[in-house]
Amino acid sequence: MIEEIPFPEQEYESIQNYLNKLGYCYTTRVYKEIGKYKVGELYTAPWGDVLKIDEVKTYWKVSDRPFYDEMSDDEKIEICKYSEDIGLPYEFIKFSKSTV
């Protein structure tokens, strides 16, 4: 059985739209999820798609995150709270739908 990668329910539609339009999407993982997702591995999305991890990049400062200027203040605060503010890194993960 393939492990599930969780996402907030309110993001399901947006993620699916990115996957259908661009073929890939990004997620940020903090705290207990650091190191959990590996490049090349497959994970099940809550809505049933199988997702493949394409890239995992580690950052220490929220302001270094790609697409930082497109993030809401709430998103910046949330990531900072569970990473930079407590001296931990966070991961910026690119994933796509698996064709397997």
Side-chain angles (χ1 to χ4, degrees):
M1 187 169 119
I2 299 174
E3 186 178 344
E4 184 176 291
I5 182 170
F7 296 96
E9 192 170 338
Q10 69 269 19
E11 293 180 10
Y12 291 6
E13 185 178 344
S14 174
I15 293 169
Q16 290 173 68
N17 287 341
Y18 275 106
L19 290 170
N20 291 333
K21 184 177 178 182
L22 301 174
Y24 61 89
C25 193
Y26 294 96
T27 186
T28 301
R29 299 297 156 138
V30 296
Y31 197 51
K32 293 180 181 178
E33 289 193 303
I34 298 295
K36 185 173 182 178
Y37 304 103
K38 308 290 185 198
V39 173
E41 295 288 319
L42 302 177
Y43 299 87
T44 304
W47 55 87
D49 286 341
V50 175
L51 305 176
K52 179 180 158 211
I53 304 299
D54 300 313
E55 265 180 49
V56 177
K57 294 187 178 181
T58 303
Y59 296 97
W60 288 87
K61 296 179 83 41
V62 175
S63 58
D64 291 339
R65 183 187 180 278
F67 311 112
Y68 175 79
D69 293 337
E70 297 174 23
M71 295 170 60
S72 71
D73 287 341
D74 287 344
E75 289 171 318
K76 292 172 186 174
I77 289 167
E78 189 73 10
I79 293 169
C80 199
K81 178 179 171 182
Y82 293 102
S83 63
E84 193 174 334
D85 286 353
I86 58 174
L88 293 175
Y90 64 92
E91 292 179 337
F92 189 66
I93 300 172
K94 179 182 179 186
F95 60 93
S96 58
K97 275 190 192 180
S98 174
T99 55
V100 175

